[in-house]
Amino acid sequence: MKAVILVGGEATRLLPLTCNIPKAMVPVLNIPFLEHVIRYLNEHQVRDIILAQGHLAKPIEGYLGNGSQFGVKLSYTAEDTPRGTAGAVKNGERYLDETFLVLNGDIFTDLNITAMIGTHREKKAKATIALTPVDDPTSYGLIETNAEGRVTRFLEKPSWSQVTTKMINAGTYVVEPEVLSQIPPQVNFSFERNLFPLLLEQGEPIYAYPSAAYWMDIGTPEKYLQLHRDLLSGKSSQHTFASGEEVLIGGQSHIQATAEVKGTVVIGDNCSIGGGVKLIGPVVIGSGCTILEGAVIKESIIWRNAWLGRGVKLKSSIVADNCCLNANSIIEGSVLGDRVTVGSSCKLESGSKIEPGTTV
Ligand code: GTP
């Protein structure tokens, strides 16, 4: 079976992390998010994959190439202006002549897509939508079904008074190719807001596939941090962190004996962790990072090549590539784009989002 992964869009809610890279290339446990998705598809024997890209196309193709390194075959489409989720699939119509999967490229899930495809075929559906329960469905697309699992209503971002179910659109679909003829070419068209409601109106059989399997989208910095907390505490079956007290250290990395490590910590290659440094997990440090004496890093994600001076305090934050946090700076609850410099003893206001290349 073929799959289309949607990796375009504006990714406005994940800024400033996505100023220079697509959301799908944001690292999770030190590897690009998309690589996790491709490995997951490969495990389900889905190996013919179309990447529906937006304007930031180069980083994805440059990293994944033709996919042979990951045991899959990759094809690419690109858009000069965002086509929306269904418009993006229409753009790849030439590759799609049989039942196919569509995946939002910002969702990490253990959903059993093999079983989902089975249900789609059994019900003879034109489209099947995976559903997942969430505590607060008001910022998602809510989907109502009848007793047979057939979709009866879509409600995009409902108010609390409209909430009748906590099952939301999980961003994974099985689709019949004839549905593509319902998508107008060259325009912005969405599965959630346009195509599925249209098919419902036409009386086409759309089914739901509810699942309680692990599911998390990385649409916002908070959820990106939550995904790491979940993976590092063993909530997904795709990673085997279980003890809550585990340290993984990459090749050529050195940790001074007086450094203290608590909770689950992942350190990439070629890192140097100085004496008296405290790492209080969940913490992920990308390759090529230098952390000097006495720095304290708690519940944070640092991408590649960061330099943290003596006594830096970093808590509940995300630091993108090539940042420099000078001595004794204090950063809490913040998101730093790539190449940000924070001055010595500077204290960032909690909730700060710093644009790439800025000095503060
Ligand atoms: P926000 O601006 O933060 O809402 O992000 P987004 O534009 O990425 O939208 P959303 O999170 O709803 O997108 C769901 C998935 O579809 C993500 O994996 C996006 O990468 C992808 N996506 C959204 N819009 C487009 C589009 O116009 N073209 C393509 N190719 N992919 C898209």
Side-chain angles (χ1 to χ4, degrees):
M1 175 155 309
K2 290 184 181 179
V4 181
I5 311 180
L6 299 165
V7 294
E10 303 290 0
T12 45
R13 291 169 299 147
L14 204 52
L15 292 170
L17 298 173
T18 45
C19 289
N20 298 316
I21 57 166
K23 186 157 45 170
M25 288 303 284
V26 160
V28 166
L29 301 181
N30 286 337
I31 67 167
F33 184 75
L34 193 52
E35 190 177 328
H36 292 276
V37 180
I38 285 170
R39 289 182 188 279
Y40 156 77
L41 285 176
N42 194 349
E43 274 173 28
H44 284 274
Q45 283 80 48
V46 178
R47 303 197 173 107
D48 195 344
I49 300 169
I50 297 116
L51 295 172
Q53 308 181 101
H55 61 295
L56 286 170
K58 281 211 178 90
I60 297 182
E61 295 198 39
Y63 182 80
L64 296 172
N66 64 10
S68 56
Q69 208 188 326
F70 306 95
V72 298
K73 173 177 170 276
L74 296 179
S75 311
Y76 296 90
T77 62
E79 301 147 35
D80 22 3
T81 53
R83 290 282 168 80
T85 47
V89 174
K90 179 79 175 176
N91 203 26
E93 193 170 13
R94 62 189 176 282
Y95 296 111
L96 303 167
D97 50 5
E98 55 187 68
T99 311
F100 60 92
L101 275 163
V102 178
L103 291 91
N104 279 2
D106 59 352
I107 283 161
F108 191 105
T109 182
D110 292 346
L111 171 74
N112 185 344
I113 43 171
T114 306
M116 181 179 172
I117 294 164
T119 301
H120 174 86
R121 294 209 160 115
E122 195 182 298
K123 301 277 188 189
K124 300 191 172 28
K126 279 281 178 320
T128 300
I129 306 170
L131 305 185
T132 189
V134 292
D135 291 335
D136 177 3
T138 57
S139 53
Y140 295 97
L142 194 143
I143 293 182
E144 291 174 3
T145 55
N146 68 14
E148 285 75 50
R150 188 162 171 165
V151 174
T152 52
R153 188 154 91 120
F154 295 100
L155 259 172
E156 265 307 302
K157 304 195 169 68
S159 63
W160 272 110
S161 65
Q162 294 175 301
V163 170
T164 51
T165 167
K166 291 201 163 174
M167 299 308 278
I168 60 140
N169 177 344
T172 303
Y173 317 125
V174 186
V175 181
E176 291 303 311
E178 56 261 38
V179 160
L180 293 168
S181 64
Q182 302 291 329
I183 307 172
Q186 316 285 339
V187 297
N188 190 296
F189 211 70
S190 141
F191 275 106
E192 313 80 315
R193 286 183 299 278
N194 307 118
L195 183 64
F196 290 144
L198 178 71
L199 294 175
L200 195 64
E201 216 178 277
Q202 294 171 342
E204 293 289 4
I206 308 179
Y207 278 83
Y209 183 81
S211 166
Y214 180 75
W215 183 94
M216 179 60 62
D217 76 283
I218 56 157
T220 64
E222 294 70 31
K223 288 185 193 147
Y224 174 75
L225 282 172
Q226 184 63 44
L227 173 63
H228 280 90
R229 276 196 287 274
D230 290 348
L231 295 182
L232 293 179
S233 60
K235 289 214 173 115
S236 159
S237 55
Q238 292 177 59
H239 292 277
T240 51
F241 298 98
S243 66
E245 293 286 334
E246 201 174 344
V247 188
L248 279 186
I249 304 172
Q252 312 297 321
S253 285
H254 299 283
I255 303 192
Q256 292 294 322
T258 54
E260 230 180 275
V261 179
K262 268 194 194 155
T264 307
V265 172
V266 175
I267 300 171
D269 299 336
N270 301 307
C271 290
S272 163
I273 313 287
V277 166
K278 282 192 184 146
L279 303 177
I280 306 160
V283 162
V284 178
I285 298 174
S287 59
C289 289
T290 302
I291 320 281
L292 294 191
E293 289 76 19
V296 180
I297 302 172
K298 190 172 175 191
E299 293 161 13
S300 293
I301 311 298
I302 303 177
W303 296 5
R304 288 162 300 187
N305 304 320
W307 189 91
L308 275 66
R310 288 165 197 262
V312 165
K313 291 195 169 50
L314 181 73
K315 189 177 164 197
S316 307
S317 294
I318 306 164
V319 175
D321 289 341
N322 302 310
C323 286
C324 175
L325 315 184
N326 282 301
N328 301 312
S329 51
I330 303 178
I331 293 130
E332 188 173 335
S334 294
V335 185
L336 277 52
D338 52 289
R339 297 168 288 110
V340 165
T341 301
V342 181
S344 303
S345 304
C346 173
K347 183 174 181 203
L348 287 191
E349 214 176 291
S350 175
S352 295
K353 290 190 176 176
I354 313 292
E355 290 295 305
T358 311
T359 299
V360 287

